[in-house]
Amino acid sequence: MADLHIINHPLVQHKISLLRDKNTGTKEFRELVSELAMLIGYEATRDLPLKEIEIETPVAVAKTKVISGRKLAVVPVLRAGLGMVDGVTSLVPAAKIGHIGLFRDPDTHTSVQYYSKLPDDIAERDVIIVDPMVATGHSANSAIEVIKGKGVKNIKFMCIICSPEGINAVREKNPDVEIYAGVVDEGLNEDKYIVPGVGDAGDRIFGTK
Ligand code: URA
């Protein structure tokens, strides 16, 4: 099974509580998703390789470190994943951004791809896929499949809230993908919404309901 990193940082847990509140409005919800993406992204980038360089300070030459190695791409799963892009790119401004559009078939609850636009050089990049909610795990697995199909070797998946069944489905199908999440909730209801969750994250980010 893939590694699952739950980010127990107090700031993450506090912001998730604010996100859950049905009285949290669109502006605040969007800001919280972005902040959570930055905090979880901080952990997801913890193992970026460094190389030593020399920099002249006003006082002396410093042997110091900068990030080296393969470049990053961030891939949000449309539409809710868009809310997490700014948070991650504020940490890694040079990252390129791809998009994968998936919708959930209301009858079968499986995910259907309707859009994909990825950087040309994605196979040479490490990829962080972002989607705030992992419910059944179908869209996470579909997005990972699309990225793997482009020849990407190092993929991480970041979410804010997941269900136990969804995250296990991803971990079992993609044992090579490290997962970073804020919290694992109780489960899914009959409509495959995460309980207690936050409701429809896309609607709450974009104010469409
Ligand atoms: N997507 C959401 O936005 N919310 C859920 O609870 C499940 C999937």
Side-chain angles (χ1 to χ4, degrees), residues 3-209:
D3 284 347
L4 171 61
H5 306 264
I6 301 297
I7 313 305
N8 281 320
H9 192 289
L11 287 172
V12 171
Q13 298 307 313
H14 179 84
K15 286 174 194 293
I16 288 174
S17 300
L18 301 179
L19 209 58
R20 291 193 190 280
D21 189 336
K22 65 177 185 189
N23 296 313
T24 296
T26 302
K27 175 179 180 288
E28 196 189 348
F29 193 92
R30 200 184 293 140
E31 287 166 358
L32 287 164
V33 167
S34 184
E35 289 160 7
L36 281 159
M38 184 163 66
L39 292 166
I40 298 169
Y42 178 78
E43 289 300 331
T45 50
R46 187 174 276 286
D47 63 353
L48 287 182
L50 293 168
K51 68 175 179 198
E52 199 170 80
I53 59 160
E54 290 191 349
I55 296 263
E56 253 183 78
T57 80
V59 179
V61 173
K63 282 192 195 305
T64 187
K65 288 172 183 160
V66 289
I67 289 166
S68 72
R70 293 158 76 84
K71 295 194 166 30
L72 270 184
V74 181
V75 178
V77 178
L78 303 181
R79 103 190 125 128
L82 286 174
M84 295 177 75
V85 173
D86 282 359
V88 181
T89 55
S90 63
L91 299 173
V92 194
K96 287 194 177 172
I97 301 166
H99 295 87
I100 294 177
L102 300 166
F103 69 85
R104 186 155 59 155
D105 185 301
D107 300 321
T108 61
H109 300 298
T110 56
S111 72
V112 183
Q113 186 186 321
Y114 66 88
Y115 185 74
S116 158
K117 184 80 184 167
L118 300 165
D120 283 347
D121 61 352
I122 196 154
E124 278 86 60
R125 290 177 178 262
D126 293 341
V127 171
I128 302 179
I129 303 172
V130 294
D131 193 349
M133 311 294 281
V134 174
T136 60
H138 293 323
S139 12
N141 278 332
S142 301
I144 292 168
E145 197 179 314
V146 171
I147 299 300
K148 281 189 176 170
K150 298 288 175 190
V152 177
K153 294 283 173 293
N154 185 4
I155 303 172
K156 289 180 176 171
F157 188 93
M158 264 176 59
C159 62
I160 296 174
I161 301 180
C162 57
S163 74
E165 46 272 64
I167 216 63
N168 283 337
V170 179
R171 295 178 77 192
E172 272 164 26
K173 185 141 190 233
N174 291 289
D176 52 325
V177 174
E178 282 196 53
I179 302 165
Y180 295 80
V183 67
V184 183
D185 267 6
E186 285 162 28
L188 300 176
N189 67 14
E190 60 282 5
D191 297 321
K192 306 293 181 199
Y193 276 89
I194 297 176
V195 180
V198 299
D200 189 302
D203 280 338
R204 296 197 65 189
I205 291 169
F206 297 107
T208 37
K209 225 170 229 170

